[in-house]
Amino acid sequence: MANSSDTINHLGEYFLIQKFSSCRAPCVLFVANRGYALRSSRESIIQHFIKNGYCVILATEVDSDSRYLESLGAVVEHVNFSRGGLSPWLDMRALLRLKQIINRYRPTLIHNFHAKPVILASLIGRYLLSGEVVIINTITGLGHAFVKGGIISQVAGMGYSLACPRSNCTVFQNKDDKSLFIRKNWVDEKRAMLIIGSGVNLTQFTPNFQPIEESRPIQIVMLGRLIWHKGMYEFSQVAEHIRRLHPDVRLVWAGELDLDHPDAVPEQWLSSQTNFDYLGRVSDVPELLRRSDILLFPSVYREGVPRSVMEAAATKIPCVGFDVPGVREAVRHEITGYLVAEGDIDGLTKAVLSMLSDSELRTQMGEQARFLAENEFDINKISADYVQTYRDFGIDIPAFG
């Protein structure tokens, strides 16, 4: 008589067979750290593949965002990518899990986002499927590893130097990252292309067309996870200066705690801050932005192009930030906001004070920011560029839009 463990194993095999049998159509695989990255920027591409008869597999964390994409018809396969540093045991488990997924579905296209998916899925995908699969990598920024430097940065560089030559194309979101990879010989220039940012939904992020209540205080906002390299300390310092001169101005930070990240901001430090309000993870970001006047973005995280800056631009909000890779792609100095030298807290403060003292300047910069978003950050344009890239490498999918 079979024991309960055997029964559970047989049931698991049964459901895997049922899931696999629903994907006899050609398969494409998207690999990312979290479901949010796929839902926020790639939902329209995923829907485009599903609409045109493909089975779309998502190798990512099982969360509310990946479950939402599953409700649209995608198949979610759980992979735990340890974020923020080296974790040999977890990284090996992720590699073996990807091997299972790729062997099971044998996709015609693998598109990877974030460092570990790019490195691990490129290596195992090319090893298992050889020339039968098109592999596209998107470098969404270099993040914690390259800001911190040291052994983590060196290992990441080695990983990229192995993975990128095994992909058909590596897409960069800003010019600095592309130049770095070419200079380091991690990627052949002929296999590197530039698609600025992940895009923003211009119909979702719209300006506030209603008159702003005279009684509402000016609000300065920051959107980002609570890690130091996102600029939490710098934000607190600017907030202290601003509140001393303008006690009626409200400063808020919205974003999720990430206590597992090696660069996480401790809750104890956060609770001690009195010059700004921490809102937690906000479900309605467009509404928060519509009720804000300035984006203060002191991050040095090496993102591709920060989503928060693009979303603020679409909402006609000027930005003050450091002149660092990614941010400089999304802010036009003295046109849509101000860029100051990295680490210059006094410069950030002076730029914010300049905006606070001149409502007409804020309005003009906001108008130019929306114009920039419409011309460069429209998610429909970004999605069309990616679909055309797939087509250029032989994937049989109609043009987007």
Side-chain angles (χ1 to χ4, degrees), residues 49 70 201 223 259:
F49 272 108
E70 188 175 46
N201 187 331
L223 304 170
L259 298 178

Side-chain angles (χ1 to χ4, degrees), residues 303-318:
E303 299 175 68
V305 176
R307 172 174 303 282
S308 303
V309 183
M310 293 188 292
E311 292 172 345
T315 320
K316 290 190 177 181
I317 298 176

Side-chain angles (χ1 to χ4, degrees), residues 16 66 76 81 86-87 105 113 116 123 135 146 186 190 201 235 251 274 287 309 319 350 357 399:
L16 283 176
S66 58
V76 177
F81 293 103
L86 294 173
S87 181
Y105 295 102
F113 305 89
K116 289 187 179 179
L123 294 174
I135 299 178
F146 280 80
W186 295 341
K190 295 178 181 178
N201 187 331
F235 187 87
L251 293 98
T274 59
E287 180 59 26
V309 183
C319 175
K350 290 175 182 177
S357 65

Side-chain angles (χ1 to χ4, degrees), residues 181-250:
F181 273 58
I182 292 172
R183 187 172 67 253
K184 294 279 191 178
N185 293 317
W186 295 341
V187 66
D188 188 325
E189 187 171 4
K190 295 178 181 178
R191 294 191 178 191
M193 68 180 298
L194 187 67
I195 298 178
I196 299 295
S198 298
V200 61
N201 187 331
L202 297 177
T203 61
Q204 181 182 11
F205 289 88
T206 57
N208 187 355
F209 295 107
Q210 300 298 322
I212 297 176
E213 317 94 281
E214 292 184 4
S215 60
R216 180 177 74 78
I218 291 177
Q219 181 161 283
I220 300 171
V221 65
M222 168 61 183
L223 304 170
R225 285 181 296 149
L226 269 67
I227 56 179
W228 290 117
H229 282 126
K230 290 284 188 177
M232 176 60 80
Y233 174 76
E234 291 81 359
F235 187 87
S236 71
Q237 293 298 295
V238 175
E240 181 179 349
H241 292 304
I242 296 300
R243 292 281 294 167
R244 188 183 306 126
L245 297 171
H246 296 276
D248 54 332
V249 170
R250 186 183 186 212

Side-chain angles (χ1 to χ4, degrees), residues 95-112:
L95 181 68
L96 294 175
R97 181 75 178 111
L98 287 170
K99 180 182 178 182
Q100 288 179 332
I101 294 167
I102 293 170
N103 264 332
R104 182 181 303 150
Y105 295 102
R106 305 193 71 81
T108 59
L109 166 70
I110 300 175
H111 193 161
N112 306 308

Side-chain angles (χ1 to χ4, degrees), residues 29-31 109-113 134-138 386 390:
L29 173 63
F30 292 89
V31 189
L109 166 70
I110 300 175
H111 193 161
N112 306 308
F113 305 89
V134 173
I135 299 178
I136 307 293
N137 290 326
T138 294
Y386 272 111
Y390 305 147

Side-chain angles (χ1 to χ4, degrees), residues 295-336:
L295 177 72
L296 173 56
F297 194 83
S299 174
V300 294
Y301 191 67
R302 283 302 296 256
E303 299 175 68
V305 176
R307 172 174 303 282
S308 303
V309 183
M310 293 188 292
E311 292 172 345
T315 320
K316 290 190 177 181
I317 298 176
C319 175
V320 175
F322 288 134
D323 186 9
V324 295
V327 180
R328 66 171 66 109
E329 303 283 346
V331 179
R332 300 293 183 268
H333 181 55
E334 297 184 340
I335 298 174
T336 70

